[in-house]
C-alpha cells in the first residue's frame, strides 16, 4: 500500500530558528531568491536590472557606499540619492553630478516642503556643512542658525536660516532637525523646530533635549500626529501642535534604531532595526518583534555590533527589505593558512575568510503572505544584498521599485516581471534560486520508509524549464544522497492573446525519481538556468517498513 503526503502550503516562509523537528509544515529552513505566493506556492523572483546607466558619482566598484534614497514628488519627480559623502538626484536613470557634500556618516537627510505653488527639498548635511534647499534645478546654501542668527519673533519672522544637523523631517506645519551643531557646540540629543509654516526661521528657545536611551538621536520619523524620535536604546513620541502643547512621551527604553538607514516608515507602521534585538515594528499603539524566525543570525554571531553600518531597512513594493552583512565578503578569497590570517579568530569566519561588512543578503518580510507575515531571502547575482530601496513614481506616473547596489555604483530596478537574470554595470548574472522543504518523516522517526517517485505541480510560465532536485536522507544536509531533474516544455496560448498582463498558463504535473530508503527525506528544489520556475504542490509517496524490535 502506498501512502501519500501532500504539501501545497509554503506560506510559512523562511525559519532559521527551528531545527529539523520543530519546523511547521509550511516553513523552510533554507530558501533563496524565491517568492512565496499568498495562496501557497513558491517561484523564482524577478530579475534585478540597472536603473542608472552610468556609475553613480563616477565611483568605482568597491568605492561606493549608498546611504539613503528619497523619492521627491515636488516641483519635479526626482529620486534623491545620498551616497558616500555626496548628494545626487535622478529622474530617468541619468544620475546628476553632486549637489551637496555631507560629513554625516549615514548620509544626508531629506525633508519635503511646499509653499503655495513652490516646493523644495531641505537637506541637512551634518555638523560640518550648512543645510541646503533644493528646488529641482539648483541648491541654495542656508545661513547657519546660532548666536546673532536666530529669528525669535513670531510676529515678523525673516530669515533664510537653518541649524546644522544630521537629521531633518517635515511634521505638521514645521520643519524639524535633530542632532544639531550650534555655533561650535554639538548637541547630539537635541531636537529643534522651525516657525509655523516657515521653514527658514528658527527661534533660539524652540528645542527639547531628549535624555535617556543613550547618547545621540539616530532618527526622527513623522508618523500620523506624532513625531517619533529614535535613539539606540529608546523610542519617544513628540505629541502636540505648537510650542505650548509639545510634550515628549517615552514609548520604550529597551529597543531603538541603530542609525537612520535602519528605519522605514509606511502609512500604517514604522519598521526599525535594534541592536542586539533585530527588526521591530511600531503600529501606533505598541511594538512587535518580527525577527523571531531569523534570530539565530544574532545568536550565532553572524551579525556583530561593528557591522551596523552595513544594515539597511527599507519599505518597497509593499514589503520590508532588511539587508544584513552575513557570512563572508563576496570579494574575499583568503584561505585559512594565508599569511596574516588567523584561523577562526574573532574577526574571521571559518576557513579564514573575513566577515562581511556590507550586505550579503536581503531578507524580505511580506505581511500579506499570512497572518504574522512571512520571510524569504534575496541575493543578487554577484553575491550581495540590496542597499536602501524605495518606490519611485516617475514623471510618467509609472511606479519603479528602486534599490542601490552596495558594491557596484549603480541604482537598480528590483523584481522585474519577465526578467530572469540580474544585470548591472554592463554585466549579466544568473542567480541561484532554490527552496528547501522541511524534513518529511511521517512523525515516525525510527521507522524506515521506501520513498517512491514524488509528484510536483509545477507552474507553467511559458518557458522550457529544467528543475533540479537534490534529495537528502535522515536529517543530514551535508551531501545529497540522490539527485534528479524534471524537464518541462513551454506552453503557449494558440493564436496569442490580447491582455495587459500575461495570462495564467496553468500548471503541469511532473514526476521525479524514487527518493530511496530512509527514515526521513528532504528536497532542495532549484533551477540551473535563467528561466522562471515555480512549484504549487508536492506529493510525497512512501511505503512504510516494519520496525524491528
Amino acid at each position: 500500500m502506498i501512502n501519500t503526503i501532500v504539501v501545497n502550503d509554503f506560506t510559512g516562509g523562511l525559519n532559521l530558528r527551528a531545527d529539523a523537528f520543530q519546523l511547521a509544515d509550511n516553513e523552510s529552513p533554507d530558501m533563496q531568491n524565491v517568492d512565496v505566493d499568498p495562496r501557497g506556492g513558491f517561484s523564482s523572483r524577478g530579475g534585478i536590472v540597472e536603473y542608472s546607466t552610468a556609475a553613480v558619482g563616477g565611483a568605482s566598484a568597491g568605492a561606493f557606499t549608498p546611504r539613503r534614497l528619497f523619492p521627491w514628488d515636488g516641483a519635479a519627480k526626482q529620486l534623491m540619492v545620498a551616497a558616500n559623502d555626496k548628494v545626487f538626484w535622478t529622474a530617468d536613470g541619468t544620475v546628476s553630478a553632486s549637489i551637496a557634500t555631507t560629513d554625516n556618516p549615514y548620509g544626508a537627510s531629506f525633508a519635503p516642503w511646499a509653499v503655495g505653488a513652490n516646493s523644495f527639498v531641505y537637506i541637512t548635511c551634518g555638523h560640518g556643512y550648512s543645510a541646503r534647499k533644493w528646488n529641482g534645478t539648483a541648491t541654495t546654501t542656508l545661513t547657519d542658525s546660532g548666536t546673532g542668527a536666530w529669528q525669535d519673533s513670531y510676529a515678523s519672522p525673516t530669515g533664510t536660516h537653518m541649524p546644522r544637523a544630521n537629521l531633518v523631517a517635515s511634521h505638521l506645519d514645521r520643519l524639524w532637525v535633530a542632532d544639531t551643531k550650534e555655533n561650535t557646540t554639538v548637541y547630539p540629543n537635541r531636537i529643534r523646530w522651525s516657525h509655523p509654516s516657515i521653514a527658514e526661521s528658527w527661534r533660539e528657545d524652540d528645542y527639547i533635549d531628549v535624555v535617556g536611551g543613550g547618547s545621540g538621536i539616530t532618527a526622527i520619523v513623522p508618523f500620523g500626529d506624532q513625531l517619533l524620535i529614535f535613539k539606540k536604546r529608546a523610542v519617544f513620541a513628540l505629541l502636540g501642535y505648537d510650542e505650548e502643547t509639545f510634550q515628549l512621551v517615552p514609548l520604550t527604553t529597551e529597543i531603538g534604531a541603530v542609525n537612520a538607514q535602519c528605519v522605514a516608515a509606511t502609512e500604517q507602521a514604522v519598521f526599525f532595526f535594534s541592536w542586539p534585538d533585530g527588526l521591530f515594528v511600531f503600529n501606533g499603539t505598541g511594538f512587535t518583534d518580527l525577527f523571531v524566525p531569523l534570530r539565530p543570525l544574532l545568536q550565532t554571531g553572524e551579525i556583530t555590533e561593528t557591522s551596523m553600518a552595513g544594515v539597511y531597512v527599507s519599505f518597497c513594493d509593499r514589503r520590508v527589505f532588511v539587508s544584513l552583512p552575513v557570512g563572508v565578503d563576496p570579494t574575499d578569497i583568503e584561505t585559512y593558512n594565508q599569511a596574516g590570517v588567523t584561523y577562526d579568530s574573532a574577526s574571521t569566519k571559518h576557513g579564514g575568510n573575513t566577515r562581511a561588512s556590507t550586505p550579503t543578503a536581503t531578507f524580505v518580510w511580506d505581511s500579506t503572505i499570512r497572518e504574522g507575515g512571512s520571510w524569504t531571502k534575496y541575493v543578487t547575482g554577484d553575491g550581495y544584498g540590496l542597499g536602501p530601496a524605495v518606490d519611485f513614481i516617475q514623471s510618467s506616473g509609472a511606479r519603479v521599485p528602486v534599490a542601490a547596489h552596495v558594491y557596484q555604483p549603480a541604482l537598480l530596478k528590483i523584481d522585474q516581471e519577465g526578467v530572469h537574470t540580474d544585470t548591472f554595470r554592463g554585466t549579466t548574472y544568473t542567480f541561484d534560486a532554490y527552496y528547501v522543504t522541511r524534513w518529511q518523516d511521517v512523525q515516525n522517526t525510527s521507522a524506515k520508509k521506501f520513498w517512491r517517485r514524488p509528484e510536483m505541480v509545477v507552474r507553467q510560465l511559458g518557458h522550457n524549464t529544467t528543475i533540479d532536485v537534490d534529495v537528502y536522507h535522515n536529517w543530514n544536509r551535508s551531501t545529497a544522497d540522490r539527485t534528479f531533474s524534471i524537464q518541462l516544455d513551454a506552453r503557449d496560448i494558440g493564436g496569442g492573446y490580447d491582455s495587459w498582463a500575461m495570462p495564467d498558463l496553468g500548471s503541469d504535473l511532473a514526476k521525479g525519481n524514487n527518493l530511496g530508503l530512509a527514515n526521513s527525506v528532504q528536497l532542495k528544489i532549484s533551477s540551473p538556468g535563467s528561466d522562471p520556475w515555480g512549484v504549487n504542490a508536492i506529493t510525497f509517496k512512501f511505503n512504510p517498513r516494519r520496525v524491528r524490535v
Side-chain angles (χ1 to χ4, degrees):
M1 176 180 177
I2 296 179
N3 297 294
T4 61
I5 305 170
V6 179
V7 182
N8 55 16
D9 179 7
F10 304 92
T11 57
L14 181 65
N15 190 335
L16 302 179
R17 187 176 185 182
D19 64 23
F21 293 97
Q22 295 174 328
L23 278 177
D25 290 341
N26 61 358
E27 291 179 329
S28 167
D30 191 11
M31 56 194 297
Q32 180 170 295
N33 289 326
V34 297
D35 291 323
V36 177
D37 190 276
R39 297 299 179 91
F42 60 88
S43 59
S44 56
R45 67 163 170 84
I48 299 174
V49 301
E50 57 189 1
Y51 182 71
S52 55
T53 55
V56 177
S60 58
F64 178 67
T65 305
R67 290 305 180 191
R68 307 183 207 183
L69 301 180
F70 174 74
W72 180 43
D73 186 11
K77 293 183 183 295
Q78 296 175 344
L79 179 63
M80 313 301 294
V81 181
N84 294 0
D85 62 343
K86 298 292 190 293
V87 176
F88 312 92
W89 65 272
T90 179
D92 56 4
T94 301
V95 180
S96 71
S98 171
I99 62 171
T101 301
T102 175
D103 64 351
N104 184 345
Y106 297 103
S109 183
F110 307 95
W113 191 264
V115 179
N118 299 317
S119 57
F120 310 95
V121 175
Y122 285 96
I123 308 171
T124 50
C125 300
H127 298 150
Y129 295 89
S130 300
R132 301 289 190 95
K133 178 173 69 173
W134 171 252
N135 66 3
T137 57
T139 56
T140 301
T141 301
L142 302 175
T143 303
D144 297 338
S145 298
T147 301
W150 297 105
Q151 296 74 49
D152 287 328
S153 172
Y154 276 168
S156 55
T158 58
T160 55
H161 293 66
M162 190 170 170
R164 292 192 180 194
N166 275 331
L167 302 166
V168 65
S170 303
H171 177 58
L172 300 176
D173 59 348
R174 303 167 194 252
L175 199 64
W176 301 73
V177 294
D179 187 359
T180 66
K181 182 178 182 181
E182 302 166 19
N183 300 322
T184 59
T185 304
V186 173
Y187 297 93
N189 303 302
R190 178 164 293 182
I191 185 165
R192 280 192 170 275
W193 58 89
S194 72
H195 284 15
S197 302
I198 304 175
E200 297 174 25
S201 292
W202 301 74
R203 194 171 70 162
E204 184 175 8
D205 292 338
D206 285 347
Y207 71 87
I208 295 176
D209 287 328
V210 183
V211 299
S215 179
I217 296 172
T218 56
I220 53 175
V221 179
F223 183 59
D225 62 352
Q226 53 193 315
L227 181 68
L228 298 182
I229 303 170
F230 289 87
K231 303 184 87 174
K232 288 187 177 180
R233 300 300 298 174
V235 183
F236 299 84
L238 192 144
L239 307 176
Y241 297 92
D242 56 36
E243 65 279 356
E244 300 297 329
T245 60
F246 288 145
Q247 59 177 315
L248 196 65
V249 178
L251 300 178
T252 177
T253 56
E254 299 297 326
I255 55 177
V258 292
N259 58 56
Q261 69 190 27
C262 293
V263 183
T266 75
E267 70 279 8
Q268 296 175 327
V270 177
F271 302 86
F272 61 96
F273 192 89
S274 177
W275 175 258
D277 312 285
L279 184 75
F280 283 77
V281 58
F282 177 70
N283 64 3
T285 59
F287 298 89
T288 302
D289 182 359
L290 301 180
F291 212 68
V292 174
L294 305 183
R295 183 133 296 126
L297 295 174
L298 305 176
Q299 296 169 332
T300 60
E302 282 289 339
I303 309 168
T304 66
E305 188 174 19
T306 59
S307 63
M308 289 299 101
V311 177
Y312 298 84
V313 176
S314 305
F315 187 78
C316 180
D317 200 23
R318 308 306 300 174
R319 296 175 293 173
V320 180
F321 290 70
V322 183
S323 296
L324 302 175
V326 297
V328 300
D329 193 293
T331 62
D332 184 73
I333 55 173
E334 295 173 347
T335 58
Y336 78 92
N337 59 355
Q338 181 173 327
V341 176
T342 303
Y343 180 69
D344 281 354
S345 70
S347 61
T348 63
K349 292 291 292 178
H350 292 288
N353 295 309
T354 57
R355 291 183 183 274
S357 58
T358 55
T360 53
T362 296
F363 297 89
V364 183
W365 182 80
D366 191 334
S367 64
T368 67
I369 298 298
R370 60 167 185 163
E371 184 178 357
S374 181
W375 289 96
T376 185
K377 182 178 73 171
Y378 285 179
V379 176
T380 60
D382 60 346
Y384 287 92
L386 299 169
V390 295
D391 288 309
F392 176 46
I393 309 300
Q394 297 176 303
S395 58
S396 65
R399 181 191 67 89
V400 182
V402 179
H405 199 287
V406 294
Y407 184 79
Q408 298 286 347
L411 301 180
L412 312 172
K413 294 187 289 186
I414 61 177
D415 211 8
Q416 296 297 290
E417 185 176 355
V419 180
H420 311 295
T421 55
D422 293 346
T423 301
F424 26 85
R425 304 300 305 128
T427 302
T428 297
Y429 305 85
T430 57
F431 54 85
D432 190 13
Y434 61 84
Y435 182 96
V436 178
T437 70
R438 60 158 294 194
W439 287 99
Q440 295 291 343
D441 60 11
V442 203
Q443 297 183 345
N444 189 342
T445 59
S446 61
K448 288 188 176 182
K449 304 94 182 170
F450 186 76
W451 298 89
R452 302 286 184 174
R453 300 175 64 187
E455 294 183 351
M456 295 186 188
V457 179
V458 182
R459 293 182 61 186
Q460 243 307 342
L461 296 172
H463 292 260
N464 293 333
T465 303
T466 299
I467 294 179
D468 289 341
V469 180
D470 292 339
V471 183
Y472 300 91
H473 288 174
N474 301 331
W475 304 282
N476 182 1
R477 274 286 306 281
S478 60
T479 305
D481 291 270
R482 297 190 176 197
T483 61
F484 61 87
S485 297
I486 296 173
Q487 305 293 329
L488 188 68
D489 292 332
R491 179 187 298 165
D492 200 355
I493 294 179
Y497 59 91
D498 183 13
S499 174
W500 52 268
M502 181 176 177
D504 181 7
L505 299 178
S507 300
D508 282 329
L509 184 64
K511 289 187 177 182
N513 295 353
N514 287 332
L515 304 184
L517 182 65
N519 297 65
S520 64
V521 294
Q522 183 182 64
L523 307 182
K524 178 181 179 181
I525 304 167
S526 61
S527 180
S530 57
D531 290 327
W533 60 277
V535 173
N536 287 326
I538 304 172
T539 300
F540 294 87
K541 298 180 179 182
F542 67 95
N543 290 118
R545 299 190 64 179
R546 293 181 180 179
V547 178
R548 294 184 179 180
V549 180

